[in-house]
């Protein structure tokens, strides 16, 4: 193979992303130099935060401009290596961007992947950044205890699903919020939540109140916007609120403010959650999560698309909230 398919940014703008924002390009196969590794993408992770990157507003990351390869993480296989400790056939999670092949330095490697830990794709899901995000929220920040009620929004997504299941393992009562009956069925029947409220259904707030009669002890927020405001009115005294994501604001530079009155009135503690603050505990999380997956206590659902050329359409599906589970693009065979 001498060519390398890439997805590049075709235009940068506000608003819901469209097909025309992306461009499929056939580039030359990159060649590694001294101290570099050539990798072949196997599974590409699609994540909501990429909307901010495409719009040119993602703090801590380079601004994407027209012609840049969309960046993102992938499970990839080492093809050639000039870095000690990495051999052809090894699997890693790395910042490769949306492309079939990438030349990376060791600083771009996020984690080494042991195929014995679980399915390869889980390294960008429950055994990767989404899982560690949930671990940071539940184990390090909110620490729900036996009998407490934890509520998580976007409960059918990779972070929300893990947050709920980790809280169940700790003995908490868990209520999810998701958009659609299919997602709610997944949350209760597969992930084992006590209840799941479909916020797209008329009268959902009454259903939520019935599901949480004593209020919410922990609220893990994955969406921001109006839903965060609505949840503020259901907090129990001394509740903990984990602010993890706000895709409700990702399509525009404007920010939907949230009234602070209910948080003050309930003496709530509000925490900002950034996954990079918990990387020091990833080894412990991976060991425990792998065991829980084997025991069936931590389950995953993935929404796959096949072929790099289908990454933009699959990303748009994610942005519309139509994905069921972790959004992944299967780019190449595991033995490539």
């Amino acid at each position: 193979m001498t060519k390398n398919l890439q997805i590049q940014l075709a235009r940068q703008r506000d608003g819901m992303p469209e097909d025309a924002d992306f461009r499929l390009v056939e580039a030359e196969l990159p060649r590694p130099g001294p101290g570099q590794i050539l990798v072949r993408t196997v599974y590409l992770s699609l994540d909501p935060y990429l909307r901010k990157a495409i719009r040119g507003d993602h703090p801590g990351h380079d601004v994407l401009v027209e012609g840049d390869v969309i960046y993102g993480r992938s499970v990839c296989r080492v093809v050639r290596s000039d870095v000690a400790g990495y051999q052809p056939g090894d699997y890693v999670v790395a910042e490769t961007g949306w492309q079939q092949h990438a030349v990376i330095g060791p600083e771009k490697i996020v984690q080494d992947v042991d195929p014995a830990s679980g399915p390869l794709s889980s390294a960008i899901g429950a055994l990767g950044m989404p899982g560690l995000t949930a671990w940071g929220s539940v184990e390090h920040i909110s620490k729900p205890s036996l009998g407490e009620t934890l509520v998580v929004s976007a409960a059918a997504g990779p972070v929300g699903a893990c947050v709920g299941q980790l809280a169940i393992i700790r003995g908490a009562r868990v209520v999810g919020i998701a958009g659609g009956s299919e997602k709610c069925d997944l949350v209760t029947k597969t992930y084992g939540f006590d209840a799941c409220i479909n916020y797209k259904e008329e009268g959902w707030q009454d259903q939520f109140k019935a599901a949480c009669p004593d209020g919410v002890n922990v609220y893990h927020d994955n969406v921001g916007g109006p839903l965060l405001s609505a949840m503020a009115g259901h907090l129990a005294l001394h509740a903990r609120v984990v602010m993890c994501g706000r895709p409700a604001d990702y399509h525009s530079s404007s920010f939907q403010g949230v009234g602070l009155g209910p948080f003050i009135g309930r003496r709530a503690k509000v925490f900002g959650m950034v996954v990079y603050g918990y990387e020091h505990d990833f080894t412990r999380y991976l060991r425990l999560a792998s065991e829980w997956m084997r025991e069936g206590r931590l389950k995953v659902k993935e929404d796959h698309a096949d072929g790099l050329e289908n990454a933009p359409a699959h990303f748009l599906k994610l942005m519309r909230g139509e994905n069921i589970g972790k959004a992944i693009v299967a780019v190449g065979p595991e033995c490539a």
Side-chain angles (χ1 to χ4, degrees):
M1 180 181 291
T2 60
K3 298 297 181 181
N4 182 34
L5 286 182
Q6 300 177 334
I7 304 293
Q8 298 179 355
L9 183 66
R11 60 181 183 178
Q12 185 187 85
R13 62 184 188 84
D14 277 359
M16 182 66 75
E18 301 174 352
D19 285 329
D21 298 339
F22 305 93
R23 179 188 303 129
L24 179 65
V25 175
E26 192 176 72
E28 292 297 319
L29 185 70
R31 296 179 179 275
Q36 293 183 318
I37 304 171
L38 174 65
V39 296
R40 171 72 154 89
T41 302
V42 179
Y43 293 110
L44 174 65
S45 176
L46 301 184
D47 301 284
Y49 75 83
L50 289 173
R51 179 64 194 106
K52 291 173 63 65
I54 292 169
R55 195 164 53 79
D57 176 27
H58 191 207
H61 292 73
D62 294 334
V63 173
L64 286 172
V65 298
E66 183 178 340
D68 285 346
V69 175
I70 307 296
Y71 59 70
R73 290 185 174 185
S74 69
V75 178
C76 43
R77 192 171 190 266
V78 174
V79 178
R80 293 202 295 274
S81 173
D82 190 53
V83 175
Y86 293 98
Q87 305 296 327
D90 289 345
Y91 290 100
V92 297
V93 173
E95 299 282 355
T96 60
W98 292 15
Q99 53 185 338
Q100 286 180 325
H101 290 84
V103 167
I104 60 173
E107 74 282 356
K108 293 290 186 180
I109 296 177
V110 177
Q111 70 189 74
D112 299 335
V113 178
D114 179 2
S117 296
L120 279 177
S121 57
S122 65
I124 47 176
L127 300 184
M129 182 171 68
L132 182 61
T133 301
W135 179 251
S137 174
V138 173
E139 180 70 12
H140 289 270
I141 299 178
S142 66
K143 302 178 181 179
S145 59
L146 181 67
E148 287 194 310
T149 296
L150 177 144
V151 174
V152 57
S153 55
V159 173
C162 285
V163 165
Q165 291 178 89
L166 294 179
I168 290 170
I169 290 171
R170 289 182 63 98
R173 179 175 178 273
V174 177
V175 176
I177 302 175
S181 57
E182 184 178 1
K183 290 183 179 182
C184 282
D185 284 346
L186 171 68
V187 166
T188 55
K189 296 177 182 178
T190 298
Y191 298 146
F193 287 29
D194 294 276
C196 185
I197 307 303
N198 177 7
Y199 72 87
K200 294 184 177 180
E201 196 171 83
E202 187 176 350
W204 73 268
Q205 289 224 40
D206 291 334
Q207 296 177 36
F208 181 84
K209 188 179 296 185
C212 302
D214 298 320
V216 178
N217 303 110
V218 176
Y219 176 51
H220 178 104
D221 179 56
N222 284 316
V223 298
L227 188 56
L228 174 59
S229 295
M231 288 298 101
H234 296 284
L235 298 177
L237 196 64
H238 303 300
R240 289 92 75 198
V241 179
V242 181
M243 307 279 288
C244 185
R246 53 182 186 90
D249 301 303
Y250 284 175
H251 303 303
S252 172
S253 56
S254 63
F255 175 72
Q256 301 183 49
V258 176
L260 298 179
F263 297 96
I264 297 171
R266 306 315 294 168
R267 288 79 142 176
K269 294 182 179 179
V270 181
F271 302 88
M273 166 72 212
V274 178
V275 65
Y276 307 120
Y278 305 96
E279 290 177 333
H280 67 279
D281 203 27
F282 181 69
T283 300
R284 180 168 72 111
Y285 168 69
L286 185 60
R287 174 177 55 82
L288 292 171
S290 296
E291 293 176 2
W292 291 330
M293 285 187 70
R294 286 192 291 270
E295 294 168 357
R297 301 173 73 190
L298 181 60
K299 298 179 181 179
V300 298
K301 168 72 174 176
E302 296 176 344
D303 190 355
H304 281 219
D306 293 320
L308 184 68
E309 66 277 8
N310 292 313
H314 206 47
F315 181 70
L316 299 184
K317 178 183 176 183
L318 172 65
M319 290 294 93
R320 294 191 299 267
E322 297 171 358
N323 61 299
I324 307 293
K326 168 64 183 168
I328 289 175
V329 179
V331 177
E334 295 180 10
C335 60

